[in-house]
Amino acid sequence: MLLLAVAFIVAFVLLLYMVSPLISPKPLKLPGAHVVVTGGSSGIGKCIAIECYKQGAFITLIARDENKLLQTKKEIEKYCVNDKQVVLCISVDVSKDYEQVENVLKQAQEKLGPVDMLVNCAGTSVTGKFEDIEVNSFERLMAVNYLGSVYPSRAVIATMKERRMGRIVFVSSQAGQLGLFGYTAYSPTKFALRGLAEALQMEVKPYNIYVTVAYPPDTDTPGFAEESKTKPLETKLISETSSVCQAEQVARVIVKDAIQGNFNSSVGSDGYMLSILTSGMSPVTSITEGLQQVVCMGIFRIIGLFYLGSFDSIVRRCMMQREKSESADKTE
């Protein structure tokens, strides 16, 4: 009886692996494709643009700083694989005026053709204790990190539907999967991207359009270096539990997952575990992916509880040290 049960499970798993490719989306071909990257003048956005350009794509870079854009354009063009490739630069704030964003994307499509893949990478961060963060910072981060992804996506979705193809990538963060000390202004904006992505994927999947949400860990970028200057001690100690990734590595993973049409994109073992733990009702690209989530959820939850206990311990220890230091200062 036991052998029969084992044989049934093995046969079921093999069947899933056989059927899975039949229901997965066809990979997007990057040679000759038009890829738009917002926040493309530095960091992960720049590395994503380079990775796509290496594979023969035409690139539109969107960012606020025109000088940085032009410098990045020269750097990307070094990776040209054919003489037809073009890198177009557009200086605009994607979070302020939807009509302006819509107009510049129309111009980009007139020059380089319809957008095949949009990568929403524009973002910013502010760290600090909840009561220490200026109120306008909450508003600014929601505008840049959330609306800065809504506007470009809204501007290209109609054309993608007409063509019955496309990819839209939202670059979130591991702080968009797990709320952490010091990220009360940042985390909610990245959590919001997942809600947008899930709802949008349900709308556009019948049109052969696939949405990817990327959850990069701490990544060695100019933005991360700036963010680290204002991190509370608790946040720094919690961050030390994971390693800092290189932007090139993160970009390769995001591009690969977007091409394949995967909904979740994560980096490393911690990223994989978090994606399983937070899968909830998020879409799956294959039956295999769903099976992995079902099998791994329990054990990963146990591991996650140990992480949460460790984080709580760090926060309590820092609070006690701070109170002890304040008490000693008062007695002097």
Side-chain angles (χ1 to χ4, degrees):
M1 190 69 178
L2 180 61
L3 288 175
L4 184 62
V6 172
F8 176 78
I9 293 172
V10 171
F12 179 66
V13 171
L14 288 173
L15 179 63
L16 289 178
Y17 273 96
M18 291 171 63
V19 174
S20 177
L22 299 178
I23 65 169
S24 299
K26 292 182 179 179
L28 176 70
K29 296 179 181 179
L30 280 183
H34 181 191
V35 178
V36 175
V37 184
T38 71
S41 62
S42 64
I44 294 174
K46 181 177 77 172
C47 291
I48 287 174
I50 290 174
E51 184 65 26
C52 291
Y53 200 67
K54 284 179 178 179
Q55 297 187 41
F58 290 70
I59 306 294
T60 295
L61 291 176
I62 298 178
R64 291 176 299 175
D65 192 320
E66 189 171 0
N67 291 329
K68 279 186 179 180
L69 278 170
L70 294 175
Q71 291 172 6
T72 303
K73 172 183 167 72
K74 292 178 181 178
E75 186 175 344
I76 293 173
E77 288 175 337
K78 296 176 183 177
Y79 299 94
C80 178
V81 295
N82 65 70
D83 56 7
K84 294 181 180 179
Q85 283 180 274
V86 176
V87 179
L88 177 65
C89 294
I90 299 176
S91 176
V92 67
D93 187 335
V94 292
S95 67
K96 285 192 174 180
D97 185 341
Y98 171 70
E99 289 186 0
Q100 188 178 20
V101 173
E102 186 179 37
N103 287 334
V104 298
L105 280 169
K106 281 182 179 177
Q107 293 170 19
Q109 293 185 89
E110 288 171 359
K111 293 179 180 179
L112 301 183
V115 176
D116 295 291
M117 183 161 79
L118 167 66
V119 183
N120 293 290
C121 204
T124 187
S125 176
V126 171
T127 57
K129 288 189 287 186
F130 183 65
E131 67 273 21
D132 294 337
I133 299 174
E134 296 293 334
V135 172
N136 61 5
S137 292
F138 289 88
E139 298 170 350
R140 181 169 62 89
L141 261 64
M142 186 58 76
V144 175
N145 295 349
Y146 179 68
L147 294 179
S149 292
V150 171
Y151 292 168
S153 302
R154 176 71 164 70
V156 302
I157 200 68
T159 305
M160 285 186 175
K161 281 187 172 183
E162 289 172 4
R163 299 175 66 222
R164 294 293 198 274
M165 65 169 292
R167 296 287 191 272
I168 296 179
V169 181
F170 297 106
V171 178
S172 179
S173 163
Q174 285 188 352
Q177 296 173 294
L178 169 67
L180 294 172
F181 191 106
Y183 288 107
T184 51
Y186 179 72
S187 279
T189 66
K190 294 300 187 177
F191 268 88
L193 289 176
R194 171 174 170 165
L196 170 63
E198 288 190 3
L200 182 59
Q201 178 65 98
M202 193 174 290
E203 287 189 22
V204 301
K205 189 175 180 180
Y207 296 89
N208 193 37
I209 301 168
Y210 288 89
V211 177
T212 297
V213 188
Y215 299 104
D218 285 342
T219 305
D220 187 12
T221 64
F224 177 70
E226 193 64 29
E227 170 194 315
S228 298
K229 295 177 182 178
T230 59
K231 278 184 179 178
L233 176 61
E234 292 88 341
T235 310
K236 291 179 179 179
L237 293 174
I238 289 172
S239 296
E240 288 176 359
T241 61
S242 60
S243 58
V244 178
C245 289
Q246 296 301 309
E248 294 82 1
Q249 175 193 3
V250 172
R252 283 194 296 269
V253 172
I254 293 174
V255 171
K256 180 182 176 182
D257 285 328
I259 289 172
Q260 297 296 328
N262 295 334
F263 184 78
N264 285 299
S265 179
S266 59
V267 179
S269 56
D270 287 350
Y272 177 73
M273 183 179 75
L274 270 176
S275 289
I276 296 287
L277 279 174
T278 60
S279 56
M281 289 292 289
S282 64
V284 293
T285 310
S286 67
I287 296 175
T288 305
E289 183 184 359
L291 183 64
Q292 289 173 349
Q293 293 170 356
V294 171
V295 171
C296 298
M297 181 71 78
I299 186 65
F300 283 176
R301 177 57 176 166
I302 294 172
I303 297 171
L305 289 173
F306 278 103
Y307 271 98
L308 290 172
S310 173
F311 296 159
D312 286 342
S313 177
I314 289 171
V315 173
R316 284 196 300 270
R317 188 166 67 248
C318 288
M319 184 188 72
M320 292 172 65
Q321 289 176 351
R322 191 175 290 110
E323 288 180 344
K324 185 177 180 180
S325 176
E326 291 173 354
S327 178
D329 289 340
K330 289 179 180 178
T331 57
E332 289 180 356

